[in-house]
Amino acid sequence: MVYSTINPATGEQLLTFDTLSDAELDQSLETAHTAYTHWRRRPVHERAEILKAAAAELRANSVEYARYITLDMGKLIGQSEAEVGLAAAILDYYADRAEKLLAPTELPESPGAVVVTEPIGVIFGIEPWIFPYYQVARVAGPQLIAGNAVVIKHAENVPQCALAFARVMEKAGVPAGVYTNVFATHEQAARVIADPRVAAVTVTGSERAGAAVAEQAGRSLKKVVMELGGSDPLIILEDADLDHAVQTAVFGRMFNTGQSCVGSKRIIVVGKDRGDAALRAFTEQMAELQAGDPMDPTTTLGPVSSERARDLLHEQIELAEKDGATVVVGGARIDRPGFYLEPTVLTGIDAANVAYNTEFFGPVASFYVVDTTEDAIKLANDTPFGLGASVFTADTERGRSVAAQIDSGMVFVNQPAWTAPELPFGGVKRSGFGRELAESGFGEFVNRKLVNVAAAGSGPWGPSPEVAQP
């Protein structure tokens, strides 16, 4: 395994980095474990100040940090800059709420009982290339505030981003070992999961990766949080503003060049006539996207992350066509340097088509037209995934009603799925389990310890008749 930057816009290999030796990895874990024993005792306000400093560093040098994203994985530069800002916002969110999140909770029904929140140890994060700062920040933010230490294995194709985020932590004053980046192999990652110095594991990735990590962690009885794939439906009901819904659907499908677990991958329109009109408009807007240098702010279509990713998408499109799908627009590689694929719209996908349950991780949308709202809900739920979903309607109460019938971790009414520090993020079914962000994400890797104080001489069980005052 090699950690390397291959510029997706040109195909040129820019940098390579060696993986750790087993001895170096062991030393990293020992340093992290030792650092945790000190970090957990650090006053909460000091931990918060350090995270605030990290957020400030990201904002102060956002142009530099954004360039690493675009060079590593090809994201449009404007979206890279937005990701830097989002990562900073997550760090600020947890720093600003540190005292509240860690405050003891009294249990009025049982006088003398209180629940305190404590860290559990070293958290191992396995993170993808898709959003190389945001997805690390949503682990590091809550876990460092909680008093845990974090070891991150990033994806092999975003090494500059991995090193840059580690530098941010160092500049902010995070002690050595409290935040650690490791260029580890898959085999070494399995060793880390099993290591007794590691308390828990979080992973964002494919179903295959998630299943492997869950199996390895299960052998050691360690908690895991998993954010895996998605095939998010975007439903346009018959009363929705069609122009707005279609424009938003294109944004939801093509953000990050369609490389998002929570992207709007399946567009479902209620009503044949509106479906035909929506397909025309959607196809036209997809076709208007122009490939170019992702460093150029005027570019509207960037490359996908790698040659392998582009070729897999092309193969998936061909298999869908072979099974009876129609390629309305796109479907081919773009003849230019780098890893570009035409924005593609597929129709005519039935349940027998391999594409019916395929997660197209790139600029490929599946488009469906159904007769009724009930049909739309049924189609939306007929997937092994359950990450996010969207419903467009002029009647927000109706939107809430439809949302209640969709099997997913998140539903957005009149917007594509999006993310923010204050919104819990996660899915159901094969999209994983557990939550990140908001207070829910903070609570995944902490010990909610019960401390029950009874007056001297109290009975062996039951509430204390008298609790000594501090």
Side-chain angles (χ1 to χ4, degrees):
M1 174 185 292
V2 176
Y3 283 76
S4 64
T5 295
I6 299 176
N7 186 348
T10 64
E12 178 187 4
Q13 186 173 68
L14 303 179
L15 293 167
T16 61
F17 300 87
D18 293 332
T19 55
L20 293 174
S21 67
D22 288 346
E24 290 170 328
L25 180 61
D26 184 72
Q27 183 58 56
S28 293
L29 294 179
E30 183 61 28
T31 302
H33 181 67
T34 302
Y36 159 70
T37 63
H38 300 288
W39 180 250
R40 65 173 302 180
R41 304 299 180 195
R42 193 86 173 252
V44 176
H45 72 89
E46 291 186 10
R47 300 202 298 258
E49 288 170 1
I50 290 173
L51 242 62
K52 294 287 286 185
E57 167 63 21
L58 284 168
R59 291 194 178 95
N61 296 288
S62 61
V63 173
E64 174 192 350
Y65 293 120
R67 283 180 58 82
Y68 295 133
I69 301 178
T70 300
L71 286 172
D72 272 352
M73 53 76 62
K75 195 190 303 284
L76 297 179
I77 190 63
Q79 295 181 11
S80 294
E81 291 172 357
E83 183 181 337
V84 174
L86 177 57
I90 292 170
L91 300 182
D92 273 340
Y93 175 88
Y94 286 105
D96 291 341
R97 291 160 180 77
E99 300 283 355
K100 179 182 177 181
L101 291 169
L102 287 161
T105 303
E106 294 184 356
L107 303 180
E109 298 86 352
S110 184
V114 65
V115 174
V116 297
T117 300
E118 296 182 344
I120 61 173
V122 177
I123 311 302
F124 183 40
I126 301 173
E127 299 303 323
W129 50 265
I130 315 165
F131 296 94
Y133 296 149
Y134 156 69
Q135 287 174 299
V136 172
R138 68 189 197 185
V139 175
Q143 301 319 318
L144 295 185
I145 281 296
N148 292 316
V150 174
V151 174
I152 296 291
K153 178 205 171 299
H154 225 317
E156 303 91 84
N157 61 330
V158 289
Q160 294 188 88
C161 293
L163 293 172
F165 202 91
R167 288 198 302 273
V168 169
M169 294 288 107
E170 182 180 3
K171 287 182 179 181
V174 175
V178 171
Y179 180 93
T180 305
N181 174 74
V182 293
F183 286 157
T185 67
H186 295 306
E187 294 76 15
Q188 288 175 324
R191 287 183 50 222
V192 174
I193 294 169
D195 194 292
R197 292 167 293 191
V198 171
V201 186
T202 180
V203 59
T204 298
S206 66
E207 291 178 81
R208 180 179 178 182
V213 170
E215 180 182 1
Q216 292 158 4
R219 294 194 199 109
S220 300
L221 297 179
K222 293 180 182 178
K223 183 176 182 180
V224 293
V225 167
M226 298 204 167
E227 198 272 277
L228 308 178
S231 188
D232 290 11
L234 186 148
I235 299 173
I236 303 176
L237 298 180
E238 67 275 12
D239 65 340
D241 181 315
L242 200 59
D243 290 340
H244 173 260
V246 169
Q247 183 178 3
T248 308
V250 172
F251 177 89
R253 173 68 293 229
M254 292 302 297
F255 189 81
N256 202 27
T257 317
Q259 300 166 118
S260 173
C261 300
V262 77
S264 304
K265 299 184 177 76
R266 295 181 296 143
I267 314 303
I268 304 170
V269 184
V270 177
K272 185 179 186 308
D273 291 341
R274 281 170 58 83
D276 291 343
L279 178 59
R280 286 194 299 272
F282 185 84
T283 300
E284 288 171 2
Q285 292 181 38
M286 291 282 279
E288 288 172 356
L289 299 173
Q290 293 297 310
D293 180 358
M295 287 291 188
D296 184 344
T298 65
T299 296
T300 54
L301 178 69
V304 295
S305 63
S306 67
E307 183 176 23
R308 177 183 176 187
R310 182 200 60 190
D311 292 347
L312 174 60
L313 283 163
H314 189 253
E315 179 184 339
Q316 290 172 330
I317 293 167
E318 290 182 328
L319 290 172
E321 247 189 316
K322 184 178 179 181
D323 276 359
T326 298
V327 177
V328 182
V329 68
R333 302 178 182 91
I334 297 177
D335 185 16
R336 59 173 293 146
F339 313 131
Y340 290 82
L341 183 77
E342 292 176 340
T344 302
V345 180
L346 301 174
T347 62
I349 299 171
D350 59 27
N353 194 308
V354 66
Y356 192 75
N357 285 318
T358 294
E359 181 186 16
F360 289 98
F361 213 71
V364 183
S366 302
F367 200 99
Y368 300 84
V369 179
V370 297
D371 293 328
T372 67
T373 299
E374 290 71 25
D375 292 337
I377 295 169
K378 181 178 179 181
L379 178 57
N381 288 335
D382 194 14
T383 172
F385 299 106
L387 187 54
S390 299
V391 179
F392 281 76
T393 175
D395 183 347
T396 55
E397 287 307 311
R398 186 183 181 199
R400 292 180 188 275
S401 175
V402 173
Q405 300 173 68
I406 295 177
D407 301 329
S408 67
M410 304 169 285
V411 183
F412 292 76
V413 177
N414 292 323
Q415 291 181 315
W418 55 283
T419 186
E422 67 274 13
L423 299 179
F425 190 102
V428 296
K429 298 194 285 188
R430 296 188 71 85
S431 289
F433 45 80
R435 293 294 180 266
E436 293 184 312
L437 299 177
E439 187 169 355
S440 301
F442 175 82
E444 290 288 0
F445 297 124
V446 294
N447 175 22
R448 304 290 196 186
K449 181 195 287 185
L450 170 67
V451 178
N452 191 60
V453 178
S458 295
W461 59 68
S464 172
E466 178 185 356
V467 179
Q469 296 300 313

